[in-house]
Amino acid sequence: MPNTLSPTTIFNPTPGWYAGDFHAHTNFSDGVLSPDELVALAQAEGLDFLAITDHNAIGALSAFETSPPRPIVRGIEITLQIGHFNVFGVDSWPDWLAEMLPGETWRERERDWRDSSRMMAMCKAEGWLVSINHPLLTPWEWQDAGTLLSHLDALEIWNDPTWGDNAWANPAAVAYWTRLLNAGYRITALGGSDYHFTNQEPGPYQPRLGLPRTYVYAEQLSAAAILEAVRKQRAYMTMGPTLRFEAQMQDVIHGIGSDLGAVAGELTLTAEASLPHGDGRIQIIKNGEIIAVERGSDGRITVQRQSQLDPAETAWFRCDALDAEGHFLAVSNPIFTGPHLPPAPHTFGEFLADI
Ligand SMILES: [Zn+2]
Ligand SMILES: [Zn+2]
């Protein structure tokens, strides 16, 4: 294994926002590009890191001919007939997984392992992060209504926006995730291009590696630090515009993913985004409701809002940027305030009504 595949290899020691893609396939499952070609494309697209998530396969991670020049988040897209979930941080292929996903085939498992909760629990016991992919995109939507939400570290709310049905499925996933946040779950929203192709697909379908891209605030540029940032919800997804979302209390500025705890006082929330084409808006959300909105055209838009914190009230704040037609351009993970109340145990199906 090239040493740059080690999760602790540091490519940049500086803390900061790093851009990447959490969902991509190579020719070790049903992708077209080799691992080296995919990483070269990620570099050409300006990504700082890339997760490789082949269907039921990990072979790409030991097939590099040259050492990747960027951190590779080692993943698998566990691909079942009842849906797909990514695991991140995979550095082994344990016997139990080999039994579940025998052979080299990447195809969906048809009969067994319908108890996805048990499988997720085993993945988490390995120290991997668990993230359900394209949760509402038919025919690959998550179909195990009984999955315990406590198993989820993350949710892919933003899958390949160039795929037609994602025009509905991605906003629906944002709405679904919003319900989970309101119920007290701190599940990190992620984006993934689900890239399978070359840079030039014939026809109108033009997927692109890094669309959407997910920025994470990592203590350094390494695969381990990227996953630590995901655990802490220090992430936002974007079609291109960079986003700034901060909460200031007295002289301290708290970024995306922060938890201020049960404090009293005035909080100043600031959201800022660039809108590259035409009109649009940026909005701040509190507990699922819009509390501030600002419209604008080309250039950066800033919106600011004060909020009086009640130390007894649990709240979360998020910001979204949308284009003139109301399509999401960027979505942040939350900033939390108030007591952290562990949610009651819920299943995936309990929040699906009328989505
Ligand atoms: Zn999938
Ligand atoms: Zn995929």
Side-chain angles (χ1 to χ4, degrees):
M1 176 172 90
N3 65 357
T4 58
L5 279 173
S6 164
T8 54
T9 297
I10 297 170
F11 293 80
N12 185 335
T14 309
W17 287 102
Y18 292 104
D21 191 331
F22 280 95
H23 191 163
H25 296 272
T26 75
N27 57 2
F28 279 76
S29 62
D30 57 347
V32 172
L33 299 180
S34 72
D36 291 272
E37 290 169 333
L38 187 69
V39 169
L41 181 58
Q43 196 169 7
E45 290 285 5
L47 300 182
D48 298 309
F49 66 90
L50 177 68
I52 292 183
T53 57
D54 276 315
H55 297 285
N56 296 345
I58 200 174
L61 300 169
S62 51
F64 283 99
E65 292 178 5
T66 56
S67 292
R70 297 280 191 276
I72 302 299
V73 173
R74 299 155 62 86
I76 307 172
E77 185 172 17
I78 305 283
T79 305
L80 312 170
Q81 201 171 47
I82 54 160
H84 305 172
F85 68 92
N86 272 351
V87 289
F88 300 116
V90 179
D91 55 11
S92 62
W93 184 254
D95 290 344
W96 61 264
L97 188 61
E99 286 172 24
M100 288 181 187
L101 309 170
E104 293 302 310
T105 178
W106 55 269
R107 306 218 174 263
E108 293 174 353
R109 302 295 297 155
E110 292 180 359
R111 289 171 290 104
D112 45 4
W113 298 105
R114 288 182 178 274
D115 184 353
S116 58
S117 288
R118 180 173 169 234
M119 193 166 183
M120 287 175 175
M122 293 171 81
C123 292
K124 287 175 71 74
E126 298 285 335
W128 307 341
L129 274 75
V130 170
S131 176
I132 289 181
N133 294 338
H134 40 71
L136 302 174
L137 176 66
T138 54
W140 306 285
E141 79 276 22
W142 191 253
Q143 295 169 30
D144 186 351
T147 298
L148 293 174
L149 291 170
S150 55
H151 291 313
L152 296 188
D153 300 291
L155 191 68
E156 185 187 71
I157 62 161
W158 207 330
N159 182 261
D160 176 8
T162 68
W163 184 261
D165 286 349
N166 271 331
W168 175 85
N170 284 341
V174 174
Y176 178 80
W177 173 61
T178 299
R179 292 181 179 184
L180 304 190
L181 294 171
N182 280 341
Y185 287 97
R186 295 188 173 186
I187 292 171
T188 305
L190 292 179
S193 70
D194 207 350
Y195 196 76
H196 286 75
F197 303 101
T198 64
N199 217 6
Q200 295 295 324
E201 277 298 295
Y205 173 50
Q206 291 291 324
R208 186 169 171 185
L209 187 66
L211 192 73
R213 60 187 59 195
T214 303
Y215 281 83
V216 301
Y217 188 89
E219 293 301 327
Q220 58 201 24
L221 184 57
S222 71
I226 289 160
L227 291 182
E228 188 58 25
V230 172
R231 287 184 195 279
K232 293 178 174 171
Q233 303 200 273
R234 294 177 177 176
Y236 70 87
M237 293 122 277
T238 178
M239 297 287 281
T242 53
L243 202 62
R244 183 170 71 89
F245 183 48
E246 294 170 345
Q248 183 170 356
M249 190 157 196
Q250 293 161 349
D251 293 332
V252 183
I253 293 176
H254 305 269
I256 294 169
S258 296
D259 181 359
L260 279 69
V263 292
E266 186 176 81
L267 190 71
T268 300
L269 296 147
T270 305
E272 186 179 50
S274 57
L275 297 180
H277 305 295
D279 297 338
R281 68 182 193 267
I282 183 167
Q283 60 193 22
I284 297 176
I285 310 276
K286 177 186 180 185
N287 294 346
E289 304 291 331
I290 298 170
I291 60 167
V293 62
E294 185 71 34
R295 295 173 196 281
S297 53
D298 287 355
R300 291 195 80 80
I301 303 180
T302 303
V303 61
Q304 204 164 61
R305 174 73 187 236
Q306 272 73 37
S307 186
Q308 286 296 329
L309 293 187
D310 174 349
E313 182 197 15
T314 297
W316 59 266
F317 301 88
R318 182 184 94 207
C319 82
D320 306 328
L322 300 95
D323 67 13
E325 285 79 45
H327 303 128
F328 285 108
L329 291 173
V331 178
S332 80
N333 274 279
I335 294 170
F336 300 96
T337 64
H340 183 197
L341 305 174
H346 290 288
T347 61
F348 182 84
E350 286 178 56
F351 295 94
L352 283 175
D354 302 320
I355 285 281

